[in-house]
Amino acid sequence: MKDGFGREIDYLRVSLTDRCNLRCVYCMPMHGLTFVPNPELLSADELEKVVRAAVEVGFKKIRLTGGEPTLRQDVVDIVERFHRIDGIEQVVMTTNGYRLPYIADDLARAGLTRVNIHVDSLNKETISKIMRLGSFDKAWAGIEAAEKAGLTPIKLNAVITRGYNDDAAVEMSRLTLTKPWQIRFIELMPFAGPTEIQLEHYVSSDEVKSRIERELGPLFDVNGGELEGEARVYRLAGAEGTVGFISPVSNSYCDGCNRLRLTADGRVRLCLLSDKEIDFRATLRHGGTHQDLVELFKRAIRTKPVGHQLKNGVFAENRTMSQIGG
Ligand code: SAM
Ligand code: SF4
């Protein structure tokens, strides 16, 4: 179904939990965040009902996210339920990868197409600084497990954050010379939630790209300037893999936005960077029917904002990234 600005909305990002085993500086505070109590999270049955309604209005792709989606004990069951729904073409996941060595094979068997793994550096000390409870060895084991299970092509996500991992982009891009991976650098986004990091730590994609090119040579445009999803994609000469830039702040992709987000507590969020949400859980838990959920999706699509308002100083106020589902 198209929204009021002619965009076909067919991609739903589903947050399974707001909890995480890490505490990345730009995403979650180290202490003091309260989590949604388990009974308030959507159950696997409720999630399936929401996705069945989403399919009816034209959604085709589901991304599981969080918080850390693999912390849900029933994550494999959820993948399998979504994969079986007629009309769903892809179920993918964004994860920090730490639990993949234990569950990657099961996820692949259940129908997961592939994973994006988040790691902000290849350097152990830098990872401890920026991802705080993070460990390079665990991230790497997760990447290897994903490859072995066929959850490919592998995409790695890093948020370049001034004063934390400024130099990570060069080493990570060098990996693409020998690995068929896509390494994507995401611009830091400001959230008014209780994270310690805000706009002064932002580094633009242009700055990251220049730094990579200074050290490793030119990056050649792969898609003639067209976006691949939300990323602009390039390749170093002779490289096996590619380098992507996701630039929501410096070069917003709102014009082509095709997504809605379902938070772990059952709200559909109309734009990552706006607080507008529609409460699906209330409908689910007060006897709402399949058709009621379909109507809520239609309302969500009809009222999706044209784009974010960061340039006018309007930030999302009510949730951190981990509470939205990045
Ligand atoms: N835990 C999983 C992970 O880290 O991939 C899934 C959830 S996490 C919120 C999804 C993505 O959001 C990660 O790639 C993370 O780097 C990104 N992210 C979190 N906070 C951000 C922020 N303030 N600005 C930009 N990206 C952010
Ligand atoms: Fe956890 Fe992902 Fe947020 Fe890091 S970015 S704290 S891994 S949810």
Side-chain angles (χ1 to χ4, degrees):
M1 176 177 159
K2 283 199 166 64
D3 74 355
F5 305 96
R7 299 172 295 193
E8 188 72 46
I9 310 299
D10 58 6
Y11 176 19
L12 186 65
R13 295 175 74 109
V14 176
S15 173
L16 298 186
T17 176
D18 58 339
R19 290 170 197 261
C20 188
N21 41 354
L22 306 189
R23 292 288 183 273
C24 302
V25 285
Y26 42 71
C27 180
M28 284 172 96
M30 197 60 190
H31 305 288
L33 199 61
T34 49
F35 297 105
V36 177
N38 280 341
E40 292 179 23
L41 296 176
L42 293 193
S43 66
D45 277 345
E46 289 171 325
L47 287 164
E48 185 176 340
K49 285 183 185 161
V50 174
V51 172
R52 286 189 180 278
V55 165
E56 198 158 321
V57 293
F59 283 83
K60 298 190 177 79
K61 176 175 172 184
I62 305 288
R63 176 174 300 278
L64 303 180
T65 180
E68 177 45 45
T70 60
L71 295 188
R72 272 283 287 243
Q73 294 305 317
D74 52 359
V75 62
V76 174
D77 174 41
I78 291 169
V79 168
E80 193 163 357
R81 285 168 182 254
F82 290 178
H83 173 65
R84 284 218 197 107
I85 298 175
D86 273 345
I88 291 296
E89 293 172 2
Q90 272 191 62
V91 184
V92 299
M93 181 187 283
T94 295
T95 170
N96 60 37
Y98 289 32
R99 294 205 65 240
L100 288 179
Y102 312 104
I103 60 171
D105 287 335
D106 291 341
L107 288 170
R109 265 195 298 274
L112 193 71
T113 314
R114 51 172 202 81
V115 286
N116 289 7
I117 299 177
H118 168 208
V119 57
D120 284 332
S121 168
L122 303 180
N123 177 286
K124 291 182 186 188
E125 283 84 58
T126 307
I127 290 202
S128 320
K129 204 162 117 194
I130 188 164
M131 302 177 85
R132 294 196 284 213
L133 307 179
S135 134
F136 174 75
D137 292 341
K138 287 190 182 162
W140 198 257
I143 297 167
E144 287 183 335
E147 269 206 311
K148 198 153 148 271
L151 297 172
T152 52
I154 299 281
K155 295 187 182 177
L156 302 188
N157 291 336
V159 180
I160 301 298
T161 306
R162 197 173 309 286
Y164 285 85
N165 64 341
D166 307 61
D167 53 356
V170 172
E171 286 318 305
M172 292 185 76
S173 299
R174 205 190 299 277
L175 271 183
T176 68
L177 293 172
T178 51
K179 302 279 188 191
W181 302 343
Q182 184 173 106
I183 315 250
R184 295 129 50 100
F185 301 107
I186 306 174
E187 284 181 344
L188 181 76
M189 286 175 275
F191 290 91
T195 51
E196 288 148 37
I197 294 293
Q198 293 299 340
L199 266 188
E200 67 267 23
H201 298 270
Y202 161 83
V203 185
S204 71
S205 292
D206 281 353
E207 185 178 332
V208 177
K209 181 164 176 277
S210 304
R211 192 162 180 158
I212 297 168
E213 291 189 307
R214 241 188 348 261
E215 302 279 336
L216 302 179
L219 281 163
F220 298 97
D221 205 331
V222 169
N223 300 317
E226 291 293 305
L227 285 175
E228 180 186 310
E230 64 272 63
R232 288 195 167 70
V233 182
Y234 300 84
R235 194 185 288 277
L236 289 165
E240 295 279 321
T242 53
V243 175
F245 296 93
I246 301 181
S247 320
V249 180
S250 68
N251 201 348
S252 122
Y253 39 83
C254 302
D255 286 355
C257 183
N258 63 345
R259 67 199 59 185
L260 292 177
R261 290 180 156 78
L262 177 68
T263 65
D265 56 354
R267 270 75 175 169
V268 164
R269 196 166 168 102
L270 308 185
C271 164
L272 173 63
L273 293 161
S274 140
D275 290 332
K276 293 200 177 97
E277 294 177 353
I278 295 178
D279 188 353
F280 276 50
R281 192 184 64 193
T283 299
L284 274 164
R285 294 195 180 173
H286 292 99
T289 62
H290 172 75
Q291 202 49 42
D292 292 333
L293 296 175
V294 169
E295 292 307 320
L296 283 187
F297 267 118
K298 288 185 180 165
R299 172 144 74 88
I301 294 174
R302 272 199 308 268
T303 50
K304 184 172 164 59
V306 62
H308 69 63
Q309 298 296 318
L310 287 180
K311 283 206 169 86
N312 303 324
V314 181
F315 300 168
E317 300 275 353
N318 63 346
R319 293 175 188 263
T320 60
M321 188 72 143
S322 59
Q323 292 165 331
I324 297 169

